[in-house]
Amino acid sequence: MSASEHRLYFLLQRVAHRLKKRADGALKESAGLTTAQAAALSIIAKDGPVTQRFVADKLSQRESAVMTMTNRLLAAGYIDRKRSSSDGRAWEVAITQKGLAALSDIKVPFGEINAVLDKNIDAKDAERLAASLNKILAALEE
C-alpha cells in the first residue's frame, strides 16, 4: 500500500505531536525546559560558543525565533551571551554550568520517551524507519 493509503502524513503528525507534548511536559518538570529549548541548549553545549544564526540554521528555524528562545535561556541562566569577536553585529552564546546541569536533568525524561519508542519498534524496524525519515528529510531540504 502507498503512503497515502496508510495515511502516513497524518500518522506522523499525530505521533510527533504526542511525543512532543509528552516530552515538553517531562522536560518542563525535570529541568524547566521545552524540547525546543533543550535542542538549542544541546547545540550550544556541543558546538559553542556559537552565533544565534548557527543555532537557527541547525534547528531549521528563523533567527528571530531563536533570539526569543535564547533570551529565555539567558534569563533562566542557562546560557551567557556576548558580542561576536569576528562579527560585531552578531551575538555568540555559550552554555553555563546551570545549562549543563539542565542538560543532565533531561536525560531521564528523554530516556523514558525513547523507551516508549524502543518498546514499540524493534531494532530492525527502528533502523529502517530512521533511514526512511532521514531520506525524507533530505528530499524535503533539496
Side-chain angles (χ1 to χ4, degrees), residues 4-31:
S4 63
E5 289 171 315
H6 281 290
R7 300 177 62 197
L8 289 182
Y9 177 80
F10 176 68
L11 289 171
L12 286 169
Q13 285 295 104
R14 288 182 62 204
V15 169
H17 175 75
R18 290 197 179 159
L19 281 171
K20 185 178 182 320
K21 190 174 179 180
R22 182 176 287 187
D24 275 340
L27 295 186
K28 197 67 154 169
E29 186 175 306
S30 69

Side-chain angles (χ1 to χ4, degrees), residues 99-110:
L100 289 172
L103 283 180
S104 181
D105 290 343
I106 66 173
K107 288 180 182 175
V108 169
F110 268 129

Side-chain angles (χ1 to χ4, degrees), residues 20-86:
K20 185 178 182 320
K21 190 174 179 180
R22 182 176 287 187
D24 275 340
L27 295 186
K28 197 67 154 169
E29 186 175 306
S30 69
L33 295 170
T34 65
T35 53
Q37 291 169 334
L41 204 54
S42 294
I43 291 166
I44 295 164
K46 179 179 178 281
D47 298 312
V50 295
T51 63
Q52 293 176 151
R53 162 62 42 211
F54 180 87
V55 177
D57 289 346
K58 285 282 193 179
L59 293 174
S60 299
Q61 295 287 325
R62 293 183 326 271
E63 193 169 357
S64 60
V66 169
M67 185 173 19
T68 300
M69 187 185 321
T70 56
N71 284 339
R72 288 186 181 126
L73 293 171
L74 184 66
Y78 295 129
I79 61 171
D80 287 323
R81 180 171 59 191
K82 66 177 183 166
R83 285 284 179 195
S84 169
S85 58
S86 61

Side-chain angles (χ1 to χ4, degrees), residues 86-118:
S86 61
D87 180 355
R89 299 167 296 165
W91 289 99
E92 287 184 341
V93 291
I95 195 159
T96 63
Q97 288 298 85
K98 185 176 179 183
L100 289 172
L103 283 180
S104 181
D105 290 343
I106 66 173
K107 288 180 182 175
V108 169
F110 268 129
E112 292 169 358
I113 296 294
N114 283 317
V116 170
L117 297 173
D118 289 340

